[in-house]
Amino acid sequence: MSSSPSLEILVRDAEGFIVWNGPPFSSNGQPTPKNERVSCSSTKFSLDGSKFMAVKSDGTISIYESASLREVRSFTVANVTATEISPCGTYLQTFQKPTTPQEKNVSLWNTDTGDLAHSLYQKSITKTTWPSIRFSPDESSACRLATNEVQFFDPKDFSKGITSRIRVPGVAAFELSKTPASHVAVFVPEVKGSPGSVQIFGCGKDAESQPSARRSFFRCSSVQFSWNHGSTGLLVVVQSDVDKTNKSYYGETKLHYLTVDGTHEGLVPLRKEGPVHDVQWSFSGSEFAVVYGFMPACVTIFDKKCKPLMELGEGPYNTLRWNPKGRILCVAGFGNLPGDMTFWDVVSKKQLGSNKAEWSVTSEWSPDGRYFLTASTAPRRQIDNGIKIFNYDGKRYFKKMFERLYQVEWKPESPDRFDEISELLKSVESLKLEEGKSQGQGSSQKKPVASIPTIQRPAAYRPPHAKQAAAIQAELLGVNPEGEMSKNALRNKKKREKKKAAEAAAASGSNNA
């Protein structure tokens, strides 16, 4: 497409944030900055990439327009401890530590006007409960978790208050489906012998009080939801703190799959025992990949009916990243694993390449699906901070090290605004064929073959106790570690042989007599 937008990367180090143009980078292979560095403590893009926020050291929260990097609004909120920008950049959500129960410490600000759109009280926040108000990717729906219920709002007019609610006694976590935001999944932990459950409800004013799908299970302390694109299926990783088989110190995990119409509710058939390290839907929403099992872990791709489509073998893997175009899958082992990466073309079912990115903390595909970025960031790692960018086939394109790096991320763009990756794959394949032909033609001419020098293999490692044992053996038996006999040993051996020969001759003489 001629209208394809350029790629941009936001980088935040100890001095603040800066935005890079590219890749592809300039002729010298280095990125060009788009702005002067701005001091801040945290940054985040909106999901659609139209805006991003930056929290500065003086407590000011600035909203920037991503295209021009122009500051469009700033907010000064005292004692703020958490911030969040909505998917389309319409709202800024802030959390302050409450001083009294009557204080409304969660505020929702309109980024265009600067007005306070909504406020509420929340005692504390966790990863499960923040942000307090959740939006769908297109901001067509907004909801929050309250005691024994999920409350819904009108995202265009929060002054209406709660427009609808779903009553779920004991609800502890929820997840709104992606576009379309037609359903919500809720989790109820097990209590006093009764099993925990995951339930799917329809959203909106016409939502039914009964779930359209439900799955119950014992031994569940927490869950991770993963909706597909299209909001037709839900994957649930159920985590238990205790493994009844005592094979894992970290407890056990099970992977369940539910459809919104209730036609499928059950376990995903995994062929190896062990934890579920990662599970990711493709961007098409028609298949998902799972890396699971004790190391070396297995990688399998399933369709929407939980039928295996492709096995990608075993290896030191715990991370999956789908290309935004849905054709290429990166299988990697980050964190405490060596950093191996393999890149698969799922359509043609072949491996495109492999590489290594040690000490990676974050990893992400570019919006056009042609570059894969990995970063080693603080505070997870205090040394060897840096950025690596790879081509879609695993070849390294760029590397830059930092004394201290806190955050790296692509500016979000819709994948539909870029060319299909299949066209790039075809052009690369044609180049490979041409290179192969030229090499074949050149090999037909006879060329002198240079002699290949023999390389002496290094000696095998022998621990100190083995060397000491060999020395003792040499002293006792007269044999050195290399297997050769010493002079004394040879002399003694000849004496023994002469003595045996003399004894044999004497014995034969007495028999003849």
Side-chain angles (χ1 to χ4, degrees), residues 70-89:
R70 180 176 60 90
E71 184 176 342
V72 295
R73 187 71 57 185
S74 65
F75 298 87
T76 302
V77 184
N79 302 321
V80 64
T81 58
T83 58
E84 182 73 17
I85 189 169
S86 63
C88 297

Side-chain angles (χ1 to χ4, degrees), residues 236-250:
V236 185
V237 180
V238 179
Q239 175 74 39
S240 174
D241 293 333
V242 180
D243 182 8
K244 67 174 184 179
T245 62
N246 292 323
K247 292 183 179 180
S248 175
Y249 174 79
Y250 301 99

Side-chain angles (χ1 to χ4, degrees), residues 301-313:
I301 299 176
F302 296 87
D303 64 9
K304 289 197 295 184
K305 296 182 180 179
C306 288
K307 294 181 180 179
L309 294 176
M310 186 178 176
E311 296 286 348
L312 303 184

Side-chain angles (χ1 to χ4, degrees), residues 166-407:
I166 298 175
R167 292 282 301 175
V168 186
V171 60
F174 78 105
E175 185 76 22
L176 194 61
S177 67
K178 299 180 179 180
T179 307
S182 55
H183 293 80
V184 61
V186 298
F187 167 62
V188 179
E190 54 182 331
V191 180
K192 297 181 180 179
S194 59
S197 66
V198 168
Q199 305 170 48
I200 298 177
F201 292 87
C203 298
K205 297 180 179 178
D206 299 331
E208 298 179 359
S209 58
Q210 296 299 319
S212 60
R214 179 189 177 102
R215 178 73 176 169
S216 300
F217 27 70
F218 287 98
R219 299 194 314 277
C220 56
S221 55
S222 62
V223 297
Q224 297 175 20
F225 293 120
S226 181
W227 281 100
N228 73 335
H229 294 262
S231 304
T232 59
L234 174 70
L235 289 167
V236 185
V237 180
V238 179
Q239 175 74 39
S240 174
D241 293 333
V242 180
D243 182 8
K244 67 174 184 179
T245 62
N246 292 323
K247 292 183 179 180
S248 175
Y249 174 79
Y250 301 99
E252 64 175 339
T253 55
K254 298 291 183 182
L255 181 61
H256 299 258
Y257 177 60
L258 297 85
T259 55
V260 295
D261 56 5
T263 56
H264 191 288
E265 299 170 12
L267 285 168
V268 177
L270 305 179
R271 61 184 180 88
K272 188 175 184 179
E273 291 186 357
V276 177
H277 304 287
D278 195 9
V279 55
Q280 296 288 335
W281 283 99
S282 71
F283 281 78
S284 65
S286 57
E287 64 264 337
F288 61 91
V290 189
V291 54
Y292 59 94
F294 297 110
M295 293 294 166
C298 294
V299 182
T300 307
I301 299 176
F302 296 87
D303 64 9
K304 289 197 295 184
K305 296 182 180 179
C306 288
K307 294 181 180 179
L309 294 176
M310 186 178 176
E311 296 286 348
L312 303 184
E314 299 183 355
Y317 304 128
N318 62 1
T319 304
L320 298 169
R321 293 290 182 268
W322 280 97
N323 183 285
K325 294 296 184 179
R327 175 164 184 160
I328 301 175
L329 174 66
C330 175
V331 182
F334 296 142
N336 59 348
L337 295 180
D340 296 282
M341 301 183 299
T342 56
F343 296 82
W344 291 86
D345 184 347
V346 177
V347 176
S348 60
K349 297 184 178 181
K350 66 178 181 180
Q351 183 176 324
L352 298 174
S354 62
N355 212 319
K356 211 164 189 178
E358 301 90 345
W359 314 307
S360 296
V361 176
T362 61
S363 58
E364 186 182 6
W365 281 99
S366 62
D368 66 349
R370 303 188 181 208
Y371 301 96
F372 187 72
L373 182 148
T374 66
S376 175
T377 57
R380 176 75 176 271
R381 284 193 62 85
Q382 300 294 333
I383 59 173
D384 299 321
N385 287 181
I387 301 170
K388 294 179 182 178
I389 299 177
F390 302 85
N391 289 319
Y392 69 93
D393 58 357
K395 295 179 182 178
R396 196 175 76 187
Y397 174 79
F398 173 79
K399 178 181 178 181
K400 184 177 178 62
M401 303 303 292
F402 291 79
E403 183 176 348
R404 187 61 57 90
L405 179 67
Y406 292 103
Q407 182 183 359

